[in-house]
Amino acid sequence: MDWNPAYTWLVLALLLSLGELTSGAMVLLALGIAAALTAAVTALGLSLPWQLLSMGIFSGLLVPLGVMVIRPRFSPRGVAYGTTGTGVEKGNHYHTLRRDYDDAPGIKINGDFYRLRVMDTGATELPPDTSVIFQRFEGTTALVALPSSAPNPLQDDTTLRKEP
């Protein structure tokens, strides 16, 4: 079996498609499909400039299609990936919880656990299922405020830890 330039495009298509498994952005998959289509064009006997031109055309068509049409179908509704920490969550209400392995108090934002600190008091311990309002991040700590209408769980607790 002789090596054909179409095989090179197929190997590139395979590598790009496998690379998509690590990213999930659908860009590498679209480029892999474009490389596979370019392999089909190469099998027709076109020269390298035509191969590169066809790869550019296929990429220009498939990458926007993959990112804008196909990727949203694989993402759960209501989750804005890549926006955590940009201020999108400010003012949202969350309920405190305890992490399983170390019993640390915190909140989950977009599926990720963050330790918390109350902005007014500096307290880092709150009872589970306490309603809080997210304000901002300070490093990896979520700074929260207690809702004014809710009873303050900190008033009767004398075992609170405060950070300086």
Side-chain angles (χ1 to χ4, degrees):
M1 175 171 101
D2 291 332
W3 188 258
N4 187 335
Y7 296 148
T8 304
W9 286 109
L10 286 175
V11 168
L12 181 63
L14 178 66
L15 292 174
L16 287 168
S17 299
L18 286 174
E20 178 60 37
L21 294 174
T22 64
S23 73
M26 296 295 172
V27 174
L28 294 177
L29 182 62
L31 289 174
I33 294 170
L37 292 173
T38 303
V41 169
T42 303
L44 297 175
L46 295 178
S47 64
L48 181 62
W50 286 106
Q51 294 172 27
L52 295 175
L53 180 65
S54 64
M55 178 66 180
I57 291 171
F58 290 139
S59 297
L61 293 173
L62 293 174
V63 168
L65 178 74
V67 171
M68 293 187 288
V69 177
I70 298 172
R71 183 174 62 180
R73 294 176 191 255
F74 290 99
S75 297
R77 294 189 190 278
V79 177
Y81 290 112
T83 62
T84 304
T86 61
V88 173
E89 304 85 9
K90 183 176 180 172
N92 288 349
H93 290 261
Y94 296 95
H95 292 281
T96 61
L97 51 100
R98 296 278 183 175
R99 193 164 40 192
D100 292 335
Y101 64 89
D102 64 352
D103 206 35
I107 58 176
K108 272 197 173 185
I109 300 175
N110 287 340
D112 294 322
F113 182 87
Y114 296 95
R115 302 280 310 243
L116 63 85
R117 185 170 69 233
V118 179
M119 288 183 68
D120 298 337
T121 63
T124 59
E125 295 282 335
L126 288 176
D129 207 34
T130 302
S131 181
V132 295
I133 302 171
F134 176 77
Q135 298 299 315
R136 63 183 169 90
F137 284 107
E138 187 173 275
T140 59
T141 303
L143 299 181
V144 299
L146 296 172
S148 58
S149 63
N152 190 346
L154 303 177
Q155 290 176 345
D156 298 326
D157 193 358
T158 59
T159 62
L160 295 176
R161 292 186 313 177
K162 293 186 178 181
E163 292 184 354

